[in-house]
Amino acid sequence: MPHWLAWLNVDRLGVIVALATAVSAVVYAHRQTVIAQGAQAEAKRSADAAEEQVRIADAAKAEAQRSAEAALKAVAMDARRDHHDYGASRVELENLERRESQGIPNVPSYIATVRNASPREFMYRARVYYTANSYSDLKSGTMRSGETVELHLGSPDVEYERLEMWLDGECSCDQPDGAEGHWQRSFLVPPAPRQPTRRVTVLR
């Protein structure tokens, strides 16, 4: 019988088994700790990645919101420019002249010529003001692009304050129509030029 086997008895065997079990438990616990730490690190990386994705998504959402707002502002700006540049601002008072009325000798009229320099067509109503609150309606109709209309204000001997026109037509802006129309144009009316002096030749 080997010497070391004689040394081994039940008590010592129990101690050895207990030590082996304890070592195995420590090794197992260490492995589980390493596994848990790895899982924890992976979970943290996943959480960080998820947080980064949320941050990127929030930034993209904010950028999309800014882009949408910028696009809306650009559309509104274009609409305002469209309202001004292609609207009634291009309806111009081209001429004011004293003219003899056709078919009625010696009855002159003060005539305003208005031109539509806009690429649009307008429906218009015109009136002439003598004072701030006194006026006469003149004419209404349609002005095509490039077309001129003549407005007979009345006698050139009358004092006029202004010629006023209200216009309607297609417009992309969001401005509400006024009580009289979408656009308003006003032109000051200066006194009519004096009638030329007629020369009279005296025969002797």
Side-chain angles (χ1 to χ4, degrees):
M1 179 176 177
H3 177 72
W4 65 269
L5 193 58
W7 173 84
L8 187 63
N9 57 30
V10 174
D11 292 335
R12 289 175 178 169
L13 183 61
V15 171
I16 293 172
V17 171
L19 288 174
T21 303
V23 170
S24 297
V26 169
V27 171
Y28 177 78
H30 176 71
R31 288 179 180 176
Q32 291 300 109
T33 299
V34 171
I35 293 172
Q37 288 175 344
Q40 184 179 16
E42 183 62 29
K44 187 176 185 307
R45 284 193 294 271
S46 298
D48 291 343
E51 184 177 348
E52 180 65 13
Q53 290 296 323
V54 170
R55 188 191 66 78
I56 293 172
D58 288 343
K61 182 179 178 181
E63 182 61 29
Q65 181 69 23
R66 285 192 294 270
S67 298
E69 291 173 355
L72 289 175
K73 288 180 180 178
V75 169
M77 186 178 299
D78 286 342
R80 287 193 296 272
R81 186 183 301 115
D82 186 61
H83 173 85
H84 181 267
D85 293 347
Y86 297 98
S89 64
R90 293 194 179 186
V91 174
E92 305 163 347
L93 179 60
E94 196 170 67
N95 189 34
L96 279 166
E97 65 177 325
R98 182 187 188 117
R99 191 190 304 169
E100 296 293 327
S101 299
Q102 294 181 356
I104 309 177
N106 302 320
V107 180
S109 181
Y110 201 16
I111 298 174
T113 302
V114 179
R115 181 173 181 268
N116 178 14
S118 167
R120 293 178 176 167
E121 179 179 292
F122 298 108
M123 293 177 292
Y124 72 91
R125 288 183 299 107
R127 62 179 51 153
V128 62
Y129 279 79
Y130 309 103
T131 63
N133 299 312
S134 175
Y135 65 86
S136 292
D137 288 322
L138 298 177
K139 190 177 180 181
S140 62
T142 300
M143 295 179 68
R144 295 178 178 83
S145 177
E147 185 178 21
T148 60
V149 295
E150 289 188 348
L151 302 173
H152 292 248
L153 308 183
S155 171
D157 299 324
V158 174
E159 290 188 4
Y160 302 101
E161 182 184 83
R162 71 185 189 277
L163 170 65
E164 186 175 279
M165 297 184 71
W166 283 94
L167 303 106
D168 284 299
E170 293 184 6
C171 187
S172 60
C173 80
D174 57 358
Q175 297 186 30
D177 293 346
E180 304 280 355
H182 192 68
W183 292 276
Q184 181 187 18
R185 290 288 281 155
S186 292
F187 309 99
L188 293 177
V189 179
R194 293 183 178 275
Q195 188 174 10
T197 303
R198 295 181 178 178
R199 293 184 179 181
V200 179
T201 302
V202 180
L203 297 177
R204 295 177 181 264

